[in-house]
Amino acid sequence: MTLYEGKVGRTYSVASINLSTPVRRRLEILGMTEHASVSLINKSLSGAIVIKIRGTRFALGKAFAKGILIEGGAAT
Amino acid sequence: MSKAVHVAFVGNPNCGKTTLFNAIAGTNLKVANWPGVTVEKVEGKLNFQGQHFILVDLPGTYSLTSYTMEEIVARDYIMSDEVDIIINVVDASSLERNLYLTLQLLELGKPVVMALNMMDIIKERGLELDLHRLPEMLGIPVIPVSARKKTGLKTLMHAVQHHSERHDDKIEHHDHGAKNSAGTHHHSHHDEYAMVYDDDIEDRIDFITALLKGSGPSMSNYRWHAIKLLEHDAEVMKTITIDLQGLNDKNFETEILNERYTFIEEIMEEVLPDRDMKSESTDRADRLLTHRVLGIPIFLCIMAAVFLLTFTLGDFIKGYLELALEWFGGAAEGMLLNISTNPILTSMIVDGIIAGVGGILTFLPNIIILFIALAFLEDSGYMARVAYVMDGVMSKIGLSGRAFIPMILGFGCTVPAVMASRALENPRDRLKTILATPFMSCSAKIPVYVLISGIFFGGYAPLAAFSMYLIGLMMAILVAFAAGRLDKKKEENTLLIELPEYKTPNPRTVYVYVSQKVKDYLTKAGTTIFMASILLWLLLNFGSGGYVGEGSIADSFAAKMGAWLVPVLTPAGLGFWQIAVALISGLAAKEVVVSSISILFGIAEADSAALSTHFAQIGFGPVNAFALMLFVLLYVPCLAALAVIKRETRSWKWTGVSIAIQLGTAWIVSTLFFQIVSLFIK
């Protein structure tokens, strides 16, 4: 499942990042490494999302949201 | 006096680093910068307890790899011999992510003091941070500060003073990971380094260090270079070319990154055990402000309020400034006459410089109000939400949501709007935004719309003026869309923006932000306008026969130039030399179009009744008038805007392209309008 398909209000674990190397590096530096836990906070009508990772909120465009594979999904 | 201690301020974007820097550097502040966008390093000075400090603010950065220019600039500077000590500014409310940079700073081998900022947010959330355990885990002093309330600053500088010369303290770090594995690595590094990697990586670091000591270039920090070689860091790989005997045969970047975050998790468990409590106030505000349906309407209401303030309040103050300017111009003229100054010189000073430069000064109230509002939106944390809310709309024209902010600002003034495009990370997004922004009808064009539509369109005048805003917006979107289409490199939607916690804007940050804008506006635009005003006056008052004076302006160079442009402007219904000169003079500032028209037609004030007679005499009707408004809306913005476009694109080529697009669309749109409408209305 990708982050784009995730449910708002749930916390997932990052399985892998399927994006170009520079984008993946940027995300990793922000703490989005494999197995890091990521909470989906908000989703816009156009597919942009708000996530919280390692204590910080980020807004991500739709293409990024679709490139991040996740697993789990506990309610928060 | 002892040697000055160089202190580098390093931290993540949005950690309050610049606010802290301003608070410490105080009145000795040399240059301020954009929140979140310290483009170059900025210096300040401080005397503290007899010690002289040079404080250096570096660009906010998440890491010290070498993937972006900012990171390389920051890293090279920190590694240079000049820096004696690092102040690592850390946002306590997102400690976990901030610590990633801290771990990298520790590896640079320079003394580090942590300034733990935003502790009040931690307290507001009802959390407790273990301030004794954190320094133990990291082996550096940790000083809680509040950049906004200016607390803890003395303690921080005291710690800096103490630690700037103590490079080789023995520290006993928390031996992380040791409880889980016996460990086969034969060195214990925990008394030397906070961040110790797993045995395989540590072995490799030791071997590479030995190789570097044997045959590598001389360097001060072997361990850091060894780690960077394992990470395949592009810059370090370039400088160190010795044979590493396959020790870095693969890229260990991801392993190293994961180990750092594993250590950070250990730290977090120790110092902030109940960190998962929700940051409720921000979440509550976001439920409304970033609502999937209401988000956009709320944003539009906020912007409407901002512009209402900018125009009503700004124009109110502007009226008084104009009166003052008029008085000053009159007084200056009187004084110059009294001391019998040459009338030509008097005319140049009064009609040229005071009218030109002074005219620009009257827009200062609008600029200040707009930027106070902007600083509020930005410092409160809302601006980042706008990028998220508008991302869907903007992605349809090939831009990320962030690009919307500078475009909206273009309604006020193109100069700050183009500068605001700096906040965009992607250089191509930045360029597209800079190309589109001048089409957003700026406030300087209002006098033109008011005068022209007042003469020709009677009761429909407000509608005619309003249509300019819509046409301008449409052209901006069209240009951005076309630029996106021509852009061969297709990129994914690049929105990636941190949404900081909401906070009350800090007066000092707002002040620094606004005063910087005002200074920019006065100096950069002022010098350009000053030169342009003199040039314009010369062209209007001199002809091939020398000084022509006001009476025979038709013999001036300006009139000749205007006549030369007539054939080009005729298809657009603007083939009158006076109009041509007015348009040329409008390059100095758009309001000048209005004043030029009155001077050119020999009328003291912009008297619409008299003007309409004159217009009728030369055969300039309503269709010509609307074409003129279209042309003024779309053609090249003032010189100040061009100067800022040049400064921001750092390219003559793109400045030229921008001018060509504006002149092209202005001519095409007004010609199309004039030709088509002339078919029906005769």
Side-chain angles (χ1 to χ4, degrees), chain B residues 134-321:
Chain B
L134 188 57
E136 278 177 0
M137 300 284 288
L138 294 168
I140 55 168
V142 174
I143 316 294
V145 297
S146 169
R148 293 159 67 206
K149 292 177 189 152
K150 299 192 185 184
T151 57
L153 306 186
K154 281 198 178 132
T155 317
L156 175 66
M157 289 317 290
H158 192 73
V160 167
Q161 200 176 16
H162 267 270
H163 287 264
S164 59
E165 284 172 6
R166 293 165 67 183
H167 292 243
D168 47 1
D169 285 1
K170 280 279 177 232
I171 37 170
E172 190 60 52
H173 296 285
H174 161 77
D175 194 351
H176 68 274
K179 58 189 173 201
N180 300 330
S181 71
T184 55
H185 187 69
H186 48 278
H187 296 139
S188 172
H189 289 293
H190 290 285
D191 56 349
E192 294 170 85
Y193 313 111
M195 181 65 229
V196 178
Y197 299 95
D198 73 10
D199 292 347
D200 178 43
I201 291 175
E202 283 295 339
D203 280 340
R204 285 172 195 268
I205 293 172
D206 282 356
F207 284 127
I208 293 176
T209 302
L211 285 172
L212 289 174
K213 278 183 179 156
S215 51
S218 89
M219 58 183 72
S220 54
N221 188 343
Y222 293 101
R223 181 179 172 87
W224 182 81
H225 281 90
I227 293 168
K228 286 290 145 186
L229 286 169
L230 288 173
E231 285 181 331
H232 284 207
D233 182 273
E235 293 291 306
V236 173
M237 296 281 270
K238 249 186 275 170
T239 53
I240 298 172
T241 50
I242 62 164
D243 178 22
L244 293 172
Q245 304 172 1
L247 282 164
N248 64 343
D249 50 352
K250 66 168 270 225
N251 189 340
F252 288 90
E253 195 183 17
T254 312
E255 281 91 339
I256 288 174
L257 198 137
N258 267 323
E259 288 215 19
R260 285 189 186 135
Y261 267 116
T262 310
F263 180 38
I264 290 170
E265 266 166 40
E266 271 182 53
I267 298 175
M268 294 306 290
E269 277 167 27
E270 294 271 339
V271 303
L272 205 60
D274 43 18
R275 69 195 146 113
D276 283 334
M277 277 176 67
K278 279 190 177 176
S279 35
E280 277 175 23
S281 55
T282 291
D283 283 338
R284 217 175 307 127
D286 266 346
R287 262 197 288 280
L288 186 65
L289 294 174
T290 66
H291 190 272
R292 44 195 292 149
V293 179
L294 294 177
I296 292 180
I298 289 173
F299 162 68
L300 292 177
C301 288
I302 291 174
M303 279 331 281
V306 166
F307 283 110
L308 202 67
L309 262 182
T310 304
F311 290 126
T312 54
L313 189 59
D315 285 349
F316 179 74
I317 304 171
K318 188 177 157 197
Y320 286 102
L321 274 185

Side-chain angles (χ1 to χ4, degrees), chain A residues 34-46:
Chain A
E34 275 176 33
H35 311 305
S37 80
V38 51
S39 314
L40 192 55
I41 293 184
N42 205 346
K43 233 188 221 186
S44 75
L45 290 174
S46 66

Side-chain angles (χ1 to χ4, degrees), chain B residues 62-124:
Chain B
Y62 291 115
S63 81
L64 292 176
T65 52
S66 55
Y67 297 123
T68 68
M69 270 322 290
E70 285 82 8
E71 288 180 4
I72 296 173
V73 167
R75 195 171 88 177
D76 284 353
Y77 181 72
I78 299 165
M79 297 284 285
S80 73
D81 292 336
E82 203 181 304
V83 174
D84 299 303
I85 183 162
I86 299 163
I87 290 183
N88 175 210
V89 187
V90 164
D91 173 0
S93 70
S94 51
L95 184 61
E96 194 166 9
R97 214 229 15 251
N98 279 247
L99 282 174
Y100 184 70
L101 181 64
T102 307
L103 292 186
Q104 292 180 82
L105 288 173
L106 292 179
E107 279 172 353
L108 293 178
K110 299 244 177 176
V112 178
V113 171
M114 181 185 289
L116 196 60
N117 197 17
M118 309 210 186
M119 283 292 284
D120 39 349
I121 295 179
I122 294 272
K123 290 201 185 91
E124 276 170 28

